[in-house]
Amino acid sequence: MSFWERIFSNEVLICAVAGWTVAQVLKTLIDFSLNKSFTPERLVGSGGMPSSHSATVCALTTSAGLSYGVESFEFAICFILASVVMYDAIGVRQETGKQAKLLNLIMEQDFFHLDNEQFQKKLKEFVGHTPLQVFAGAVLGILIAFLVHTGLF
């Protein structure tokens, strides 16, 4: 079996990549329907609904559980990774986005003029997630893993 055949037969990897891909496409479609304009950055960017981070790690964890059993070390590693990633998405990264939004507002004020080109760039505000976005990504990832595992996806 060739290298690529082995890669494409790795169900756990396929589930994780499918989780990320589907979440990113849904995120882009949701953003398009809300803003009535296409933003290419949404296809690969972080933040937004649903969380692609959550979809990825939940698809990975669910697939590991289905493939190796929930008593396996593979599942344990994936579960801890998923917990950390989703906690971070809601906590630290959401706060980073709030701070970026506030700093961007400050930078737009008339009294705050900087000549340095570096300071004229806006900070990225879409970096974290609300609990609902993380939950939606988690459900999506779990669903994708079950669909891949049963051969429906």
Side-chain angles (χ1 to χ4, degrees):
M1 189 181 288
S2 75
F3 172 78
W4 291 110
E5 289 172 327
R6 290 190 313 236
I7 288 286
F8 288 116
S9 68
N10 185 332
E11 184 178 295
V12 176
L13 177 62
I14 296 301
C15 285
V17 171
W20 180 84
T21 304
V22 171
Q24 288 298 126
V25 169
L26 284 174
K27 184 185 303 188
T28 304
L29 292 174
I30 291 169
D31 183 67
F32 179 78
S33 69
L34 293 174
N35 298 317
K36 306 296 184 232
S37 66
F38 175 68
T39 308
E41 193 272 333
R42 299 304 321 139
L43 283 170
V44 294
S46 59
M49 170 67 105
S51 166
S52 57
H53 288 86
S54 297
T56 303
V57 294
C58 284
L60 177 78
T61 303
T62 304
S63 182
L66 293 170
S67 297
Y68 304 111
V70 294
E71 71 282 357
S72 67
F73 78 89
E74 291 93 345
F75 176 79
I77 291 169
C78 293
F79 183 84
I80 296 301
L81 172 69
S83 300
V84 169
V85 166
M86 291 188 295
Y87 176 81
D88 181 63
I90 293 171
V92 176
R93 290 188 326 111
Q94 186 181 32
E95 288 303 314
T96 301
K98 288 177 184 176
Q99 291 172 5
K101 190 172 193 165
L102 179 61
L103 287 171
N104 285 335
L105 286 172
I106 291 170
M107 300 267 294
E108 291 172 359
Q109 300 304 311
D110 290 333
F111 66 88
F112 196 75
H113 293 286
L114 295 173
D115 292 330
N116 188 333
E117 187 178 317
Q118 186 70 11
F119 286 106
Q120 298 301 321
K121 295 179 183 175
K122 286 190 80 164
L123 298 171
K124 185 176 177 186
E125 296 176 13
F126 280 120
V127 290
H129 294 284
T130 65
L132 178 62
Q133 293 169 339
V134 169
F135 178 74
V139 170
L140 177 64
I142 292 166
L143 179 65
I144 287 171
F146 275 107
L147 290 174
V148 169
H149 191 72
T150 58
L152 296 174
F153 184 79

